[in-house]
Amino acid sequence: EYGEKVTLHDNGIWQYYKESSENSSIRTNNKKFNKSYYADFMLKSKKANIGIWINKDKWNFKRLTSGDAEYEFDFKNGDLYGQAIIEETSIPIATLSKIALDNAKQVSQDAKIVKSEYRTVNGLDVLLMRINGTIEGVKFSYYTYYYSNDSGTIQLITYSSNNLIDKYIDDCEEFLNGITEY
């Protein structure tokens, strides 16, 4: 309505058009992703109508009262961790990907996106990103979903050392696929 250009993707996601957008090369995975049958406990955000279905047999969690994250997660069977950063502000997904990379580069100058794709998860259009980098000599990998609606934005994050993330990738996927609205 204001004459701004947008790019409409095959899956219905749109983003503001940018001439030299790094995000323009993000592919769309047409597979439909759904929460695991075993993810039977939903954590609800107090900030937005966004929730996370988790498998309590695999994940410990705690609600945080300070800092950026609303929830923190600890995988019971290894060195895999997670966070849910939820804000009341609605942010375009294309902007979130830039913010995520900028934030990663603040703690790791060599941080880079090694995978990104749009997905439909439980009917929601999300962006998956994998960011690798080094913090204090430790090579790490973030495997993350980004989603935003009118009530707010979530960065649902799993992370581990770079040498372990592939070992846990199925657990990361199962966890991330718990993202939902309520």
Side-chain angles (χ1 to χ4, degrees):
E1 80 186 65
Y2 298 106
E4 296 181 49
K5 291 183 181 181
V6 298
T7 301
L8 180 62
H9 299 278
D10 292 339
N11 65 354
I13 292 176
W14 65 270
Q15 66 189 60
Y16 287 105
Y17 178 79
K18 294 181 183 176
E19 294 290 336
S20 61
S21 174
E22 188 176 303
N23 300 311
S24 63
S25 63
I26 298 175
R27 73 178 198 91
T28 299
N29 184 331
N30 291 320
K31 178 182 173 189
K32 303 295 184 208
F33 296 85
N34 294 296
K35 81 172 189 71
S36 165
Y37 170 81
Y38 300 102
D40 59 357
F41 184 78
M42 184 172 46
L43 297 168
K44 294 182 177 182
S45 171
K46 290 186 176 182
K47 298 178 181 179
N49 67 338
I50 299 170
I52 307 140
W53 287 99
I54 66 166
N55 179 342
K56 293 184 314 205
D57 292 335
K58 288 187 173 184
W59 292 92
N60 292 314
F61 69 90
K62 66 179 171 181
R63 181 182 292 276
L64 303 176
T65 56
S66 63
D68 293 333
E70 188 172 349
Y71 288 101
E72 190 173 77
F73 303 92
D74 184 19
F75 188 61
K76 293 180 179 182
N77 298 316
D79 293 329
L80 178 63
Y81 308 93
Q83 288 187 337
I85 300 172
I86 304 170
E87 302 172 82
E88 294 176 277
T89 304
S90 181
I91 302 171
I93 290 178
T95 303
L96 278 171
S97 67
K98 182 179 178 344
I99 291 170
L101 184 58
D102 289 347
N103 287 344
K105 285 186 175 187
Q106 287 180 7
V107 294
S108 171
Q109 291 183 353
D110 68 339
K112 65 181 179 180
I113 299 170
V114 295
K115 179 178 182 173
S116 61
E117 67 182 27
Y118 293 107
R119 292 180 167 190
T120 301
V121 182
N122 300 316
L124 308 177
D125 295 322
V126 304
L127 173 63
L128 164 84
M129 286 179 49
R130 180 173 173 176
I131 299 175
N132 290 352
T134 309
I135 300 175
E136 297 183 17
V138 178
K139 293 187 181 297
F140 71 89
S141 189
Y142 291 119
Y143 201 74
T144 308
Y145 276 177
Y146 299 92
Y147 173 72
S148 190
N149 64 22
D150 290 339
S151 74
T153 299
I154 184 170
Q155 298 173 61
L156 188 56
I157 303 165
T158 59
Y159 60 95
S160 189
S161 63
N162 203 26
N163 67 316
L164 293 176
I165 198 74
D166 289 328
K167 172 182 174 182
Y168 297 124
I169 206 72
D170 290 341
D171 297 301
C172 293
E173 292 264 346
E174 179 182 20
F175 173 78
L176 293 172
N177 288 339
I179 192 170
T180 192
E181 289 182 340
Y182 66 89

